[in-house]
Amino acid sequence: MLDEKILLLLDCNIYKYNYTKHCFQIRNYFKVNNDSLLEELKEILKILEENEVKYIIQKDNTIKITK
């Protein structure tokens, strides 16, 4: 589970944090261009790494927070 402090650092327009599954999921694939998706993905991963949060990226680009 992510700390509220970390969630406040993230400004997500494409991804949405799912509190029950502890992951970031893309809101709507049809309204996303690749450039904006990659930029937001990089920003999320950067913040997770800076805060030493472990994660895996799944096939559908979901970012699953691991323990």
Side-chain angles (χ1 to χ4, degrees), residues 40-54:
E40 189 162 304
L41 177 64
K42 283 192 247 180
E43 186 63 27
I44 291 170
L45 298 180
K46 176 183 164 194
I47 291 172
L48 292 178
E49 288 173 7
E50 286 173 354
N51 289 280
E52 300 178 354
V53 175
K54 294 183 181 182

Side-chain angles (χ1 to χ4, degrees), residues 5 8 11 17-18 23 27 30 34 46 48-49 54:
K5 175 190 84 160
L8 291 173
D11 181 25
Y17 187 69
N18 184 323
C23 65
R27 292 180 187 177
F30 301 109
N34 288 338
K46 176 183 164 194
L48 292 178
E49 288 173 7
K54 294 183 181 182

Side-chain angles (χ1 to χ4, degrees), residues 4 10 13 18-21 26 30 38 46 48 51 58 61-62 66:
E4 187 177 330
L10 297 164
N13 295 315
N18 184 323
Y19 289 89
T20 56
K21 295 182 181 180
I26 296 175
F30 301 109
L38 289 174
K46 176 183 164 194
L48 292 178
N51 289 280
Q58 299 176 334
N61 290 321
T62 296
T66 59

Side-chain angles (χ1 to χ4, degrees), residues 1-10 19:
M1 185 182 312
L2 285 183
D3 186 308
E4 187 177 330
K5 175 190 84 160
I6 297 170
L7 289 171
L8 291 173
L9 295 172
L10 297 164
Y19 289 89

